[in-house]
Amino acid sequence: MPAEQELLKIIGLKKYFGGLKAVDNVDLSVKRGETMGLIGPNGAGKTTFFNMVCGAYTPTAGKILLNGEEIQGLPAHAVARKGIARTFQITRVFKDMTVEDNLLAAFALRRAPGLWASLGRSHTKRNREEAMTYLERVDIAAFAKQKAGDLSLGYMRRLEIARALALEPILLMLDEPCAGLSKDATVDFMELVGKLKSLGTTIMLVEHNMGVATALCDRMTVLSYGVKIAEGTPQEVQSNPVVIDAYLGEAEEAG
Amino acid sequence: MFFQQIVNGIVVGSVYALTAMGATLVYGIMRILDISNAGAYALGAYISFFFLLQTGNPLVAVVMGVALTAVFGFIVQKFLYAPLMDKSPNVALIAGIGLFIFLQDFLRLVGGPQARELNFGAMLPSVRLPGLGLTLYGTWFLILGATAVLLLVLWYLLNRSTVGLAWRATAQDLETAKAMGINTNRVVAFNFILGYGFAAVAGILVGILYNSIYPMMGDVPAYKMLAVIVLGGLGNPLGTVLAALVIGMAETLIGGYVGFFLPRDAIAFVVLILILLWRPQGLLGRRRVS
């Protein structure tokens, strides 16, 4: 594939915690506009991998290239400013702030770099109007003045997405966005992700649930015990015997 | 007499609010009780005293006292607290107490053990209102005015400015704030600069009010500040203001009218215990469900 299509390229990424090889020598690339799924059984190293890309963890070795620029080891806030926005597996909205303020926190500071500018007003008309456009995009504009902590879990997830979109990311990273959602909320949420895809957003999705991942992803990478065991379209991956073994093994252990 | 006591209570409460505000800000973000903030309170007063001796200009003295103490706050955060953040909060608490003791002894060695006069008060006129039986001292106007202005500025900064948005985001969830592109290290540094600046203002104003500063002047504020912070709901700036006024008023009125078998400084803690029995989360604290 031509190099310019690759938005994110990861080469030989490793994270060791003492003797534990949580992620070992994983390569991965995400093309512009595609939705890449990162799947695997529990404890496969998905979240560790995810956290390295977001700057929450420093890799033991390896390279992470965003648009050809090395970003591994940068602090999380710097990675966010490079254009990688994330959501968390356990929803982490700012619960004591209003829905609107959650949004403003995502872009007001970027608008006002430097000390003097950051002492200026955060709730300008322009900022508030822009916050509303993001809230409208995920259909929660009606709750703008509510405390974020009072929203239902499904709406908190939407708020998290809106907040991530407000960073104007070039890559949106979702960590198990459907975990804990009801069936209806999951369907709604998948619709939302479909809408984002159609707008051209590049997405990396960590997902434990094979059904959700299959429905949303263009391609998938499968991790097991920290190692990449397969990559391809959902159909290719699902019929891959190595992948079936990894998931079946988990089912047996669980049973 | 009654009005005199009320105004007096508000003045005392204002001073407590300023004194506890620095530590409230630090607690709000770092979740550590910063006892050394009471050391900054004395340090600010002494720096101000030094510049008053050198220049004779009260404005220069106040500005330098606040500015240098704020810089000191930045240094404390960078070299004392930042390296301890991944340890238990008790470690930071003990380090803060250590710094507090160090600061007191440092001031005693440099400035001498005796009390000094921070003599701005005489420059301010008093107003007598015989009809109400009220004397309004110039220092009171200074304290009430400074407190009102500073609290309004703080309210604006925390609730309406961009840096305040970053402050609130960082206070609620450091990791998520980082994921939003907020440089949380800078927010924390800003927090300490502001917190120690507030402590310095409080120390200077108290020095002016009683026309006296001494190395141990941070002792009583150190524990009374804890009472105010806990009563206010731990790390809630508005709660701190409310709690400070409640305690200031209680001390003045109970001490002035009822009389009390314990020392005046004990009243704060009796009030604290009574209110916590009623509201364990503090006046404006959120009930934590674990």
Side-chain angles (χ1 to χ4, degrees), chain A residues 100-142:
Chain A
E100 182 185 53
D101 283 4
N102 264 268
L103 260 288
L104 290 176
F107 65 78
L109 203 64
R110 193 183 61 231
R111 286 275 178 72
L115 181 63
W116 283 115
S118 71
L119 296 178
R121 280 178 62 216
S122 51
H123 293 61
T124 58
K125 195 161 174 257
R126 177 171 163 237
N127 281 350
R128 297 175 77 156
E129 280 171 2
E130 184 164 342
M132 285 311 276
T133 64
Y134 291 113
L135 292 176
E136 276 158 14
R137 220 185 285 180
V138 298
D139 297 325
I140 55 169

Short mmCIF file of all heavy atoms in Angstrom, two decimals, chain A residues 100-142:
data_model
loop_
_atom_site.label_atom_id
_atom_site.label_comp_id
_atom_site.label_asym_id
_atom_site.label_seq_id
_atom_site.Cartn_x
_atom_site.Cartn_y
_atom_site.Cartn_z
N GLU A 100 -21.78 20.96 28.72
CA GLU A 100 -21.13 21.99 27.90
C GLU A 100 -19.68 22.22 28.34
O GLU A 100 -18.77 22.30 27.51
CB GLU A 100 -21.93 23.29 28.02
CG GLU A 100 -21.37 24.41 27.18
CD GLU A 100 -22.12 25.71 27.41
OE1 GLU A 100 -22.27 26.13 28.57
OE2 GLU A 100 -22.58 26.31 26.42
N ASP A 101 -19.46 22.31 29.66
CA ASP A 101 -18.10 22.56 30.15
C ASP A 101 -17.16 21.40 29.83
O ASP A 101 -15.96 21.60 29.60
CB ASP A 101 -18.11 22.81 31.66
CG ASP A 101 -18.59 24.22 32.00
OD1 ASP A 101 -18.98 24.93 31.07
OD2 ASP A 101 -18.57 24.58 33.19
N ASN A 102 -17.69 20.18 29.82
CA ASN A 102 -16.89 19.04 29.40
C ASN A 102 -16.34 19.26 28.00
O ASN A 102 -15.18 18.98 27.72
CB ASN A 102 -17.75 17.77 29.39
CG ASN A 102 -17.63 16.97 30.67
OD1 ASN A 102 -16.79 16.08 30.77
ND2 ASN A 102 -18.44 17.30 31.67
N LEU A 103 -17.20 19.78 27.12
CA LEU A 103 -16.78 20.05 25.76
C LEU A 103 -15.75 21.18 25.70
O LEU A 103 -14.72 21.07 25.04
CB LEU A 103 -18.01 20.45 24.93
CG LEU A 103 -18.65 19.39 24.05
CD1 LEU A 103 -17.73 19.12 22.87
CD2 LEU A 103 -18.86 18.10 24.81
N LEU A 104 -16.06 22.25 26.43
CA LEU A 104 -15.16 23.42 26.39
C LEU A 104 -13.76 23.03 26.88
O LEU A 104 -12.77 23.52 26.37
CB LEU A 104 -15.73 24.54 27.26
CG LEU A 104 -16.99 25.22 26.72
CD1 LEU A 104 -17.50 26.24 27.71
CD2 LEU A 104 -16.71 25.89 25.39
N ALA A 105 -13.71 22.13 27.88
CA ALA A 105 -12.40 21.71 28.40
C ALA A 105 -11.56 21.09 27.30
O ALA A 105 -10.33 21.12 27.35
CB ALA A 105 -12.58 20.73 29.56
N ALA A 106 -12.23 20.52 26.29
CA ALA A 106 -11.48 19.84 25.23
C ALA A 106 -10.86 20.81 24.23
O ALA A 106 -9.82 20.53 23.67
CB ALA A 106 -12.39 18.85 24.50
N PHE A 107 -11.52 21.95 23.99
CA PHE A 107 -10.91 22.81 22.95
C PHE A 107 -10.59 24.24 23.37
O PHE A 107 -9.84 24.92 22.69
CB PHE A 107 -11.72 22.79 21.65
CG PHE A 107 -13.10 23.38 21.75
CD1 PHE A 107 -13.27 24.75 21.76
CD2 PHE A 107 -14.21 22.56 21.82
CE1 PHE A 107 -14.53 25.29 21.83
CE2 PHE A 107 -15.48 23.10 21.88
CZ PHE A 107 -15.65 24.47 21.90
N ALA A 108 -11.12 24.68 24.51
CA ALA A 108 -10.91 26.08 24.86
C ALA A 108 -9.43 26.40 25.08
O ALA A 108 -8.94 27.45 24.67
CB ALA A 108 -11.72 26.44 26.10
N LEU A 109 -8.71 25.45 25.71
CA LEU A 109 -7.31 25.73 26.02
C LEU A 109 -6.45 25.75 24.76
O LEU A 109 -5.52 26.53 24.64
CB LEU A 109 -6.79 24.69 27.02
CG LEU A 109 -5.59 25.13 27.83
CD1 LEU A 109 -5.96 26.30 28.72
CD2 LEU A 109 -5.07 23.99 28.67
N ARG A 110 -6.83 24.88 23.82
CA ARG A 110 -6.06 24.85 22.57
C ARG A 110 -6.23 26.16 21.82
O ARG A 110 -5.33 26.65 21.14
CB ARG A 110 -6.54 23.68 21.73
CG ARG A 110 -5.63 23.35 20.57
CD ARG A 110 -6.19 22.24 19.72
NE ARG A 110 -7.46 22.61 19.15
CZ ARG A 110 -8.55 21.86 19.22
NH1 ARG A 110 -8.51 20.71 19.83
NH2 ARG A 110 -9.69 22.26 18.68
N ARG A 111 -7.43 26.74 21.96
CA ARG A 111 -7.72 28.02 21.32
C ARG A 111 -6.94 29.15 21.96
O ARG A 111 -6.78 30.20 21.38
CB ARG A 111 -9.21 28.34 21.51
CG ARG A 111 -10.11 27.56 20.68
CD ARG A 111 -10.22 28.24 19.33
NE ARG A 111 -11.07 27.46 18.45
CZ ARG A 111 -12.38 27.38 18.61
NH1 ARG A 111 -12.98 28.02 19.57
NH2 ARG A 111 -13.08 26.65 17.80
N ALA A 112 -6.57 28.96 23.22
CA ALA A 112 -5.98 30.06 23.98
C ALA A 112 -4.61 29.63 24.51
O ALA A 112 -4.43 29.44 25.69
CB ALA A 112 -6.90 30.43 25.13
N PRO A 113 -3.64 29.44 23.63
CA PRO A 113 -2.33 29.04 24.11
C PRO A 113 -1.63 30.23 24.77
O PRO A 113 -1.94 31.38 24.47
CB PRO A 113 -1.60 28.60 22.83
CG PRO A 113 -2.25 29.38 21.74
CD PRO A 113 -3.65 29.71 22.18
N GLY A 114 -0.74 29.93 25.69
CA GLY A 114 -0.02 31.01 26.36
C GLY A 114 -0.78 31.46 27.58
O GLY A 114 -1.99 31.30 27.69
N LEU A 115 -0.03 32.03 28.53
CA LEU A 115 -0.60 32.37 29.83
C LEU A 115 -1.69 33.43 29.72
O LEU A 115 -2.79 33.26 30.24
CB LEU A 115 0.51 32.83 30.77
CG LEU A 115 0.03 33.18 32.18
CD1 LEU A 115 -0.56 31.96 32.86
CD2 LEU A 115 1.17 33.75 33.00
N TRP A 116 -1.41 34.52 29.01
CA TRP A 116 -2.36 35.63 29.00
C TRP A 116 -3.67 35.23 28.37
O TRP A 116 -4.74 35.51 28.87
CB TRP A 116 -1.78 36.86 28.31
CG TRP A 116 -0.80 37.55 29.20
CD1 TRP A 116 0.53 37.69 28.98
CD2 TRP A 116 -1.08 38.13 30.48
NE1 TRP A 116 1.11 38.32 30.06
CE2 TRP A 116 0.15 38.61 30.98
CE3 TRP A 116 -2.22 38.28 31.25
CZ2 TRP A 116 0.27 39.24 32.22
CZ3 TRP A 116 -2.12 38.91 32.49
CH2 TRP A 116 -0.89 39.38 32.96
N ALA A 117 -3.56 34.53 27.22
CA ALA A 117 -4.78 34.11 26.54
C ALA A 117 -5.59 33.17 27.42
O ALA A 117 -6.82 33.24 27.45
CB ALA A 117 -4.41 33.43 25.23
N SER A 118 -4.91 32.32 28.19
CA SER A 118 -5.65 31.33 28.98
C SER A 118 -6.34 31.97 30.18
O SER A 118 -7.19 31.36 30.81
CB SER A 118 -4.72 30.21 29.44
OG SER A 118 -3.84 30.68 30.42
N LEU A 119 -6.00 33.22 30.49
CA LEU A 119 -6.72 33.92 31.56
C LEU A 119 -8.01 34.55 31.03
O LEU A 119 -8.81 35.06 31.80
CB LEU A 119 -5.83 35.00 32.19
CG LEU A 119 -4.58 34.50 32.90
CD1 LEU A 119 -3.76 35.68 33.44
CD2 LEU A 119 -4.91 33.56 34.03
N GLY A 120 -8.19 34.48 29.72
CA GLY A 120 -9.39 35.06 29.11
C GLY A 120 -10.62 34.21 29.34
O GLY A 120 -10.54 33.13 29.92
N ARG A 121 -11.75 34.70 28.86
CA ARG A 121 -13.02 34.00 29.12
C ARG A 121 -13.11 32.69 28.35
O ARG A 121 -12.76 32.61 27.18
CB ARG A 121 -14.19 34.90 28.72
CG ARG A 121 -14.52 35.95 29.76
CD ARG A 121 -15.65 36.82 29.27
NE ARG A 121 -16.85 36.02 29.06
CZ ARG A 121 -17.71 36.25 28.07
NH1 ARG A 121 -17.50 37.24 27.22
NH2 ARG A 121 -18.78 35.52 27.95
N SER A 122 -13.62 31.67 29.03
CA SER A 122 -13.77 30.37 28.38
C SER A 122 -15.13 30.26 27.70
O SER A 122 -15.26 29.63 26.67
CB SER A 122 -13.62 29.25 29.40
OG SER A 122 -14.46 29.49 30.51
N HIS A 123 -16.16 30.91 28.28
CA HIS A 123 -17.52 30.74 27.77
C HIS A 123 -17.88 31.84 26.78
O HIS A 123 -18.90 32.49 26.92
CB HIS A 123 -18.52 30.71 28.92
CG HIS A 123 -18.37 29.51 29.80
ND1 HIS A 123 -17.22 29.24 30.49
CD2 HIS A 123 -19.22 28.50 30.08
CE1 HIS A 123 -17.36 28.12 31.17
NE2 HIS A 123 -18.56 27.65 30.94
N THR A 124 -17.02 32.04 25.78
CA THR A 124 -17.36 33.03 24.76
C THR A 124 -18.47 32.46 23.89
O THR A 124 -18.68 31.25 23.84
CB THR A 124 -16.15 33.35 23.87
OG1 THR A 124 -15.73 32.12 23.28
CG2 THR A 124 -15.01 33.94 24.66
N LYS A 125 -19.15 33.36 23.17
CA LYS A 125 -20.26 32.93 22.32
C LYS A 125 -19.76 31.92 21.29
O LYS A 125 -20.37 30.89 21.05
CB LYS A 125 -20.86 34.16 21.62
CG LYS A 125 -22.20 33.92 21.01
CD LYS A 125 -22.94 35.23 20.75
CE LYS A 125 -24.23 34.99 20.00
NZ LYS A 125 -24.15 35.33 18.57
N ARG A 126 -18.61 32.21 20.74
CA ARG A 126 -18.05 31.36 19.69
C ARG A 126 -17.76 29.95 20.24
O ARG A 126 -18.11 28.95 19.63
CB ARG A 126 -16.76 32.02 19.19
CG ARG A 126 -16.04 31.23 18.16
CD ARG A 126 -14.89 32.03 17.55
NE ARG A 126 -13.99 31.12 16.89
CZ ARG A 126 -12.70 31.02 17.17
NH1 ARG A 126 -12.16 31.78 18.09
NH2 ARG A 126 -11.94 30.18 16.52
N ASN A 127 -17.14 29.90 21.44
CA ASN A 127 -16.84 28.60 22.03
C ASN A 127 -18.10 27.81 22.33
O ASN A 127 -18.16 26.60 22.10
CB ASN A 127 -16.03 28.78 23.33
CG ASN A 127 -14.57 29.06 23.06
OD1 ASN A 127 -14.11 28.94 21.92
ND2 ASN A 127 -13.84 29.41 24.10
N ARG A 128 -19.11 28.50 22.86
CA ARG A 128 -20.34 27.79 23.23
C ARG A 128 -21.07 27.27 22.00
O ARG A 128 -21.62 26.18 22.01
CB ARG A 128 -21.25 28.72 24.03
CG ARG A 128 -20.60 29.13 25.34
CD ARG A 128 -21.45 30.12 26.06
NE ARG A 128 -22.56 29.44 26.70
CZ ARG A 128 -23.20 29.94 27.75
NH1 ARG A 128 -22.81 31.08 28.27
NH2 ARG A 128 -24.19 29.29 28.28
N GLU A 129 -21.07 28.09 20.95
CA GLU A 129 -21.73 27.64 19.71
C GLU A 129 -21.03 26.42 19.14
O GLU A 129 -21.66 25.47 18.69
CB GLU A 129 -21.75 28.77 18.68
CG GLU A 129 -22.87 29.77 18.95
CD GLU A 129 -22.80 31.01 18.09
OE1 GLU A 129 -21.89 31.09 17.23
OE2 GLU A 129 -23.64 31.90 18.28
N GLU A 130 -19.70 26.45 19.22
CA GLU A 130 -18.97 25.31 18.68
C GLU A 130 -19.23 24.06 19.53
O GLU A 130 -19.39 22.95 18.99
CB GLU A 130 -17.48 25.62 18.63
CG GLU A 130 -16.74 24.48 17.98
CD GLU A 130 -15.34 24.84 17.54
OE1 GLU A 130 -15.05 26.04 17.42
OE2 GLU A 130 -14.55 23.92 17.32
N ALA A 131 -19.28 24.24 20.85
CA ALA A 131 -19.58 23.10 21.73
C ALA A 131 -20.91 22.48 21.33
O ALA A 131 -21.05 21.25 21.26
CB ALA A 131 -19.61 23.56 23.18
N MET A 132 -21.89 23.35 21.01
CA MET A 132 -23.20 22.83 20.64
C MET A 132 -23.14 22.00 19.37
O MET A 132 -23.83 20.98 19.25
CB MET A 132 -24.21 23.99 20.45
CG MET A 132 -24.70 24.61 21.73
SD MET A 132 -25.28 23.41 22.94
CE MET A 132 -26.95 23.17 22.36
N THR A 133 -22.31 22.40 18.40
CA THR A 133 -22.27 21.63 17.16
C THR A 133 -21.77 20.19 17.43
O THR A 133 -22.27 19.24 16.84
CB THR A 133 -21.37 22.29 16.10
OG1 THR A 133 -20.03 22.29 16.58
CG2 THR A 133 -21.82 23.68 15.78
N TYR A 134 -20.81 20.06 18.34
CA TYR A 134 -20.33 18.70 18.66
C TYR A 134 -21.40 17.91 19.40
O TYR A 134 -21.57 16.71 19.17
CB TYR A 134 -19.05 18.75 19.50
CG TYR A 134 -17.87 19.27 18.72
CD1 TYR A 134 -17.29 20.49 19.04
CD2 TYR A 134 -17.35 18.53 17.66
CE1 TYR A 134 -16.21 20.97 18.31
CE2 TYR A 134 -16.28 19.00 16.93
CZ TYR A 134 -15.71 20.23 17.26
OH TYR A 134 -14.66 20.69 16.54
N LEU A 135 -22.11 18.59 20.31
CA LEU A 135 -23.17 17.89 21.05
C LEU A 135 -24.28 17.46 20.10
O LEU A 135 -24.86 16.38 20.25
CB LEU A 135 -23.72 18.79 22.15
CG LEU A 135 -22.76 19.09 23.29
CD1 LEU A 135 -23.37 20.06 24.29
CD2 LEU A 135 -22.35 17.80 24.01
N GLU A 136 -24.58 18.31 19.11
CA GLU A 136 -25.60 17.94 18.12
C GLU A 136 -25.16 16.72 17.31
O GLU A 136 -25.97 15.87 16.98
CB GLU A 136 -25.87 19.13 17.19
CG GLU A 136 -26.88 20.11 17.79
CD GLU A 136 -26.77 21.49 17.17
OE1 GLU A 136 -26.12 21.64 16.11
OE2 GLU A 136 -27.34 22.43 17.75
N ARG A 137 -23.88 16.66 17.03
CA ARG A 137 -23.39 15.56 16.21
C ARG A 137 -23.62 14.19 16.88
O ARG A 137 -23.74 13.18 16.22
CB ARG A 137 -21.90 15.75 15.91
CG ARG A 137 -21.57 15.38 14.48
CD ARG A 137 -20.10 15.45 14.21
NE ARG A 137 -19.58 16.80 14.08
CZ ARG A 137 -18.30 17.04 13.83
NH1 ARG A 137 -17.43 16.05 13.72
NH2 ARG A 137 -17.86 18.27 13.72
N VAL A 138 -23.65 14.18 18.23
CA VAL A 138 -23.91 12.91 18.92
C VAL A 138 -25.29 12.91 19.57
O VAL A 138 -25.59 12.07 20.42
CB VAL A 138 -22.82 12.59 19.97
CG1 VAL A 138 -21.46 12.43 19.31
CG2 VAL A 138 -22.76 13.66 21.04
N ASP A 139 -26.12 13.88 19.18
CA ASP A 139 -27.52 13.94 19.62
C ASP A 139 -27.71 14.11 21.13
O ASP A 139 -28.60 13.50 21.72
CB ASP A 139 -28.29 12.68 19.18
CG ASP A 139 -28.33 12.57 17.67
OD1 ASP A 139 -28.43 13.63 17.03
OD2 ASP A 139 -28.25 11.44 17.15
N ILE A 140 -26.86 14.90 21.79
CA ILE A 140 -27.11 15.16 23.22
C ILE A 140 -27.15 16.66 23.50
O ILE A 140 -26.95 17.08 24.64
CB ILE A 140 -26.10 14.45 24.15
CG1 ILE A 140 -24.66 14.83 23.80
CG2 ILE A 140 -26.28 12.95 24.14
CD1 ILE A 140 -23.66 14.37 24.84
N ALA A 141 -27.43 17.45 22.47
CA ALA A 141 -27.44 18.91 22.65
C ALA A 141 -28.46 19.33 23.70
O ALA A 141 -28.27 20.33 24.40
CB ALA A 141 -27.72 19.60 21.32
N ALA A 142 -29.53 18.58 23.85
CA ALA A 142 -30.59 18.95 24.80
C ALA A 142 -30.09 18.94 26.24
O ALA A 142 -30.70 19.57 27.11
CB ALA A 142 -31.77 17.99 24.65
#
